[in-house]
Amino acid sequence: MGDFLSQFGELFAAYDVPGAFWVNIQLTFWAAIFSLILGTVLALMRISPIASLQWAGATYVNILRNTPLTVIMTFLFLAVWTQLQISLSDDFAQNFFRFGVIGLTVYHAAFVCESIRSGVNTVPLGQAEAARAIGLSFLPAARLIILPQAFRGAIAPLGNTLIALLKNSTVVVAVSVSTETSTLMREMIESNANFIYAIFMIFAIGFAVLVIPIGLLTTFLSNRLAVRR
Amino acid sequence: MDHGDATTTTDPAEASSSLGAPLVELKNVNKHFGELHVLQDIDLTVRRGEVLVVIGPSGSGKSTLCRAINRLETIDSGEIRIDGVPLPEEGKALAKLRADVGMVFQAFNLFAHKTILENVTLGPVKVRRQRSSAAKERALELLDRVGVKNQAQKMPAQLSGGQQQRVAIARALAMKPKVMLFDEPTSALDPEMINEVLDVMVALAKEGMTMIVVTHEMGFARKAANRVVFMADGQIVEEATPEEFFTAPKSDRAKDFLSKILSH
């Protein structure tokens, strides 16, 4: 045990472990915001009365949800950046970071959309009918009546998506974001193969420490904010 | 149940003579649910100030008829006009028309995440663009009128069914509708709560509100209705004043139906 602790000390002294986690937290933060926005738009399309929008929303979800995240990231890196030479920032690291956020966003928006749709299913049809009956058209009815209740019903699945997003943020290594945890873990293993268990534990515990509060918080909020009927 | 007597019953002949121009007109309306022909060649005119009760066995199409009038159900053919204007297909025009048609549902359908007061002010503020202070003042007036003003800050789930349904009536009235549709407003209520809702409806009828009421409450029909329409199997089988219909139904279907609901 004492041996383990000294290994931890040595590793933390040699590498910026909190800094690497901080990169994943930042990636997750931005991707969570953008995927929540995009996912909400997609969910609105899927529940809208317009058939072409429903189709477009469903097609997006089915394509992005069924594509491995690594493939999306590699596509952004090789096709969009290398081939099309589309750059998002003059700063190299910032450019890759933004591609990472885009990849995480487009992928997780599909899951956010489906989480919100499951939330919409918790709202009785009568709520939409009552909204229409007082003269609200689709968008105001969605904004004022359906979505506020749907979000409250979707907190648990949205929390699951956020947890997946945080862990999936390590896949940005495929767009050359080189400061995040999985890259750091590989570096540490390469030069400290004898510390392998300590290294694994650092990252396993690190993610658990980040993820467990998210789970607790979403469970608490989904009970707290549940719409009483 | 109160069956009413001569002094409280509105005289149908007298009431009919005071009715205004046609407000809701259905011409040759047809609707199918798959194979089922739920509305068959429905012709019906409701005049301004008229109180129409639609009665009939379950599955007769009476709820569908009520819901078709503000296009919560679409129709396959025929025409529905409200105040002379044909029902628009979709979009803004339809929303505008629905704002003029009050609807009260069997399941109340109060907005579950909004307070009682917000339920009543939401339409006037968001649809009619009223100032929120004015909408609030009027909402409290309406809540007072239906007897739930002291519940204004509560959430719908904290109220009894009868209270919720009275709030739903206030919510519809806040839009100053031309006509009110009631789709079995007391069917989901415990027996002791039915009268508090019916009392509000009778008062509304006496004030001259145009009402289309799908209900089995004969006490209400006798007290407040100008006309009863009996539906069965998607058709209007019989139309009469409440007195005529309940005492001397003409069709066999109506006789059969009444014998079943009156035998207890």
Side-chain angles (χ1 to χ4, degrees), chain A residues 25 29 44 52 76 87 96-97 103 108 112 128 135 153 155 160 185 199 203 205-206 209 219:
Chain A
I25 291 169
F29 177 79
L44 279 173
S52 57
L76 286 172
S87 180
F96 293 136
F97 181 86
H108 290 91
V112 169
I155 289 170
N160 287 338
M185 186 172 82
I199 293 170
F203 291 99
I205 292 170
V209 164
T219 307

Side-chain angles (χ1 to χ4, degrees), chain A residues 49 123-150 152 225-229, chain B residues 67 70-73 90-92 94-96 98-99 101-103 105 108-114 119 122-123 126-127 155 157-158 171-172 175:
Chain A
V123 183
L125 185 61
Q127 296 286 308
E129 290 190 339
R132 287 151 73 197
I134 59 167
L136 294 172
S137 47
F138 172 71
L139 274 179
R143 185 170 64 84
L144 297 166
I145 307 300
I146 307 304
L147 287 182
Q149 297 184 54
R152 292 166 178 220
L225 296 177
V227 181
R228 291 182 60 205
R229 303 193 188 281
Chain B
R67 290 162 56 82
N70 69 354
R71 214 181 151 84
L72 286 179
E73 299 285 353
E90 265 303 331
K92 289 239 154 52
L94 178 62
K96 195 161 181 289
R98 279 178 177 147
V101 178
M103 177 109 191
F105 300 87
F108 331 132
N109 296 347
L110 292 182
F111 303 131
H113 63 309
K114 301 261 183 207
N119 263 274
L122 190 128
K126 299 293 178 184
V127 179
M155 301 302 282
Q158 295 173 279
R171 175 175 69 179
M175 299 300 290

Side-chain angles (χ1 to χ4, degrees), chain B residues 5 7 25 41 48 51 58 77 84 90 94 99 106 117 138 149 154 167 169 191 228 239-240 244 258 260:
Chain B
D5 54 51
T7 52
E25 296 165 275
D41 299 321
R48 204 178 291 278
V51 177
S58 61
S77 66
E90 265 303 331
L94 178 62
Q106 182 176 349
L117 186 62
R138 168 141 169 87
K149 190 182 178 184
K154 291 192 180 166
V167 173
I169 294 173
V228 172
E239 283 188 56
E244 278 170 1
L258 286 173
K260 279 175 188 156

Side-chain angles (χ1 to χ4, degrees), chain A residues 113-132:
Chain A
C113 167
E114 295 306 274
S115 298
I116 292 173
R117 276 209 319 143
S118 79
V120 170
N121 287 335
T122 67
V123 183
L125 185 61
Q127 296 286 308
E129 290 190 339
R132 287 151 73 197

